[in-house]
Amino acid sequence: MDGNDTYGDCTIAALAHAETVFRGLVGNELIMPSPAVVKLYLQLTGGVDSGMNELDVLNYWQSNRVSGDELIAFAKIDPKNHTEVQQALHLFGGVYLGFQVQKNCQQEFQSHKPWTPGPLTNDGHAVFAVAYDQNGVTVLTWGNTQNGTWGWWDECVDEAYALLPPETQKPGFAPGFDFAQLKADLAAVAQPSTKPLETWKIK
């Protein structure tokens, strides 16, 4: 749960889940302890349980080590572009995302049923997606895995990011992943003569 049953720290819990996945891809079993998740959350909110903006969390992570890792870069993904989402999941090991909570969210989670579209509440939630198939996606949240249909995704997900962690520089992160080539590609795209990569945040 990483404290998310008591605090609105889902953005930091999702960060911790991302770190666990990235480390696991290179054979490193190291999990950020729950008290550390809550401590970082309260540090960043000034001790107030106010929730956090995903972009603020990613900007912080890119400039500060969290549980020993500092994010190299991140890019915003168009959540309505399933191909882009699937490519990010395949290449980067997961997608950090935020969604508008539907009324049946907790009921379906507790019943071990996939999330489906429903009337939206005024609440938001952050999770880390780790897999997809023709039916939808699988995310990590609330101490478990949870499936969500593509219909749920299209209705509820309004924010999604691909993350570039330091583990991408290590052999075995992903088959065929070429970190040096990626850096060269990003540098080329980020030239002043081109407009893209308002999306990428690169050191």
Side-chain angles (χ1 to χ4, degrees):
M1 289 296 289
D2 287 328
N4 199 206
D5 53 342
T6 304
Y7 297 98
D9 66 347
C10 57
T11 52
I12 307 299
L15 180 160
H17 296 153
E19 283 199 322
T20 299
V21 170
F22 295 147
R23 290 165 173 168
L25 287 171
V26 294
N28 185 1
E29 187 177 339
L30 181 61
I31 299 172
M32 187 174 176
S34 291
V37 174
V38 175
K39 181 179 179 180
L40 177 60
Y41 169 66
L42 294 176
Q43 173 190 328
L44 296 180
T45 63
V48 179
D49 186 15
S50 58
M52 287 197 69
N53 181 286
E54 289 195 353
L55 196 54
D56 290 340
V57 170
L58 294 178
N59 280 321
Y60 174 85
W61 191 11
Q62 193 179 24
S63 302
N64 301 270
R65 290 187 179 276
V66 175
S67 189
D69 277 347
E70 189 174 307
L71 192 64
I72 296 172
F74 63 91
K76 188 174 183 179
I77 302 169
D78 177 5
K80 302 307 180 186
N81 186 330
H82 289 187
T83 299
E84 198 170 295
V85 171
Q86 291 167 4
Q87 288 175 337
L89 282 162
H90 177 70
L91 289 172
F92 299 101
V95 169
Y96 183 81
L97 65 94
F99 67 92
Q100 298 179 61
V101 176
Q102 72 282 17
K103 287 185 177 179
N104 52 351
C105 180
Q106 290 192 1
Q107 180 181 352
E108 288 177 339
F109 175 82
Q110 292 166 357
S111 301
H112 305 289
K113 295 180 179 179
W115 282 333
T116 55
L120 300 179
T121 68
N122 292 321
D123 299 317
H125 189 47
V127 298
F128 190 65
V130 293
Y132 73 90
D133 60 22
Q134 62 182 1
N135 298 314
V137 298
T138 301
V139 306
L140 305 179
T141 187
W142 296 327
N144 211 329
T145 58
Q146 172 67 26
N147 295 326
T149 66
W150 285 116
W152 163 80
W153 178 283
D154 291 335
E155 179 71 22
C156 299
V157 175
D158 54 9
E159 201 172 2
Y161 299 91
L163 310 181
L164 190 67
E167 285 81 6
T168 54
Q169 302 173 75
K170 299 179 180 180
F173 177 80
F177 194 97
D178 189 331
F179 181 81
Q181 183 62 54
L182 176 63
K183 284 188 71 176
D185 291 343
L186 294 179
V189 174
Q191 293 299 317
S193 58
T194 60
K195 185 179 177 182
L197 287 232
E198 296 166 345
T199 52
W200 279 99
K201 292 277 293 181
I202 312 166
K203 283 195 164 185

